[in-house]
Amino acid sequence: MEDWVFLLLPVAAASGWFAAQRHYARKYLIEHTHSLRKAYCRGLNYLLSEKTDKAIDAFVDLLTNDFETVETHIALGNLFRRRGEIENAIEIHENLIARDDLNPQQQESAQFELGLDYLRAGLFDRAESIFQNLVDHENSRMGALQQLLDIYQHEKDWGKAMECARKLQDLGKPPKRGETVAHFLCELAEETLCTDDDRAARQWLEDAQRADPRCARASLLMAKLEMREGRFEGALQSLKRVESQNADLIQEIMEPLRICHDRLEKPSGELIGYLGYLYETYGFESAALALAERIRSEQGAGKAIEHMLRVLESLPTAKTLNTLTGFLLEDGAETQREALIRLDRALDRMYSNAPRYTCNHCGFSGSELHWRCPSCRHWESTKPS
Ligand SMILES: [Zn+2]
């Protein structure tokens, strides 16, 4: 909608222009104004009914009618871009910039739109240099920084992305899609973890924790690093921080938590107590299931069945039912064993078909935890489901 609002401006400008040209033959003026208005109305009607293609044709007619306002050209270029005709959009915006009768504000607008054309065309280098130039202009600064932030994230240039995020923060602009400096630092940490540079990874993670004390991802990565280096007590502390940072991600700590407790040979009651607390406080399925598994290994299937029967009352899901059937089979109840086996298999299938993670912003779901949603590009919007 914002593109065609500009198209209204020339209507206002046109009436002023006509008023100033009184020496023109009155008859010609009336006819000309009438035909322009008709063309505008036609174009606007198409836009309002979302017939972009017809709107473009109507406005092209209008432009050939020697009506050369800058805003109309900019808006027409935008319409071409929206329709996917990037070459036309680029040509219109480049021609505008080459003109010498544009005021500074119009120059900036035309350049900004050309930057967007380049982005759509995949010409990231050209887009980047345009937006870098626009950062120096106060009116375009914020928009240009947001575009640069998108470009650097696309190119995985986390250092430059951080710079942009910080500048936007200084301008008082909250991140549009959860783009925090801490996430970019975590990306750098993950890259260095892959190359086994643990010292650098630790530094990035400490920076991430300082940049955003609520960054659960930094805690999970720090736990991974600590475990890799055999420091299980430190890892345990990192894992326990996740609860207060982002309780939705508690599922992610279950497995490493179990490993740390086992490696430290902690008293069994400690883990059972913590898992019980997580389940009672948040009612998370993952905590209930981890607790059931722990009860089974410490106290046997009978006790685990009792626990799962209680869980089933508040969490009647395929997964909890599936866990219960597994324990029932293990407990050796011979009566109706065949039926139980079938029920267990059916539940196995039901669960394996279900996506495990869902984006709470756009609904994208999949079997992997994406820190940045592949669909809507939001950071940390994906939750275990
Ligand atoms: Zn999403």
Side-chain angles (χ1 to χ4, degrees), residues 359 361-364 373 375-377 381:
C359 171
H361 188 260
C362 72
F364 173 87
C373 172
S375 175
C376 70
R377 305 263 156 205
S381 57

Side-chain angles (χ1 to χ4, degrees), residues 158-282:
W158 308 117
K160 285 186 179 168
M162 255 188 288
E163 245 176 72
C164 286
R166 286 204 177 101
K167 283 181 186 162
L168 280 167
Q169 223 172 322
D170 292 345
L171 290 172
K173 177 120 165 63
K176 207 170 67 173
R177 289 186 286 241
E179 295 111 338
T180 60
V181 168
H183 267 298
F184 302 149
L185 287 161
C186 285
E187 289 287 339
L188 288 168
E190 287 207 72
E191 279 173 14
T192 40
L193 274 172
C194 287
T195 58
D196 290 334
D197 187 352
D198 288 9
R199 218 165 61 90
R202 181 176 291 277
Q203 189 60 55
W204 293 129
L205 291 175
E206 283 169 0
D207 288 350
Q209 282 165 346
R210 260 193 303 276
D212 179 9
R214 299 190 61 81
C215 181
R217 184 183 182 188
S219 299
L220 287 167
L221 282 171
M222 187 62 100
K224 188 175 168 182
L225 178 64
E226 298 271 29
M227 286 170 77
R228 194 155 96 169
E229 294 178 341
R231 282 196 285 269
F232 295 98
E233 194 60 61
L236 214 49
Q237 299 313 314
S238 286
L239 292 170
K240 287 188 173 175
R241 272 202 300 273
V242 172
E243 180 211 342
S244 62
Q245 292 170 321
N246 185 354
D248 287 339
L249 290 170
I250 278 198
Q251 175 181 300
E252 301 306 305
I253 73 170
M254 293 303 160
E255 184 57 12
L257 200 65
R258 183 191 64 73
I259 296 170
C260 288
H261 269 269
D262 287 350
R263 294 296 293 266
L264 290 165
E265 296 177 359
K266 295 245 178 203
S268 66
E270 212 173 289
L271 182 57
I272 289 182
Y274 185 58
L275 292 173
Y277 155 77
L278 289 179
Y279 171 56
E280 297 298 334
T281 311
Y282 301 100

Side-chain angles (χ1 to χ4, degrees), residues 22 39 59 96 109 118 132 169 172 174 180 227 230 261 316 320 328 356 385:
R22 286 176 203 281
F59 287 121
L96 261 183
S109 302
Y118 285 150
Q132 268 171 349
Q169 223 172 322
T180 60
M227 286 170 77
H261 269 269
T320 51
L328 286 170
R356 286 181 61 222
S385 50

Side-chain angles (χ1 to χ4, degrees), residues 6 9-10 13 68-75 78 92-115 130 133-134 137 139-140:
F6 289 108
L9 297 174
E68 297 247 334
T69 68
V70 174
E71 286 76 11
T72 316
H73 275 88
I74 289 180
N78 297 354
I92 287 182
H93 292 138
E94 276 181 346
N95 284 341
L96 261 183
I97 290 167
R99 273 166 55 168
D100 53 14
D101 59 338
L102 269 60
N103 66 36
Q105 182 61 51
Q106 290 170 329
Q107 261 290 341
E108 282 179 40
S109 302
Q111 288 200 17
F112 197 94
E113 298 303 333
L114 183 61
I130 283 189
N133 176 39
L134 286 171
H137 298 82
N139 289 328
S140 315

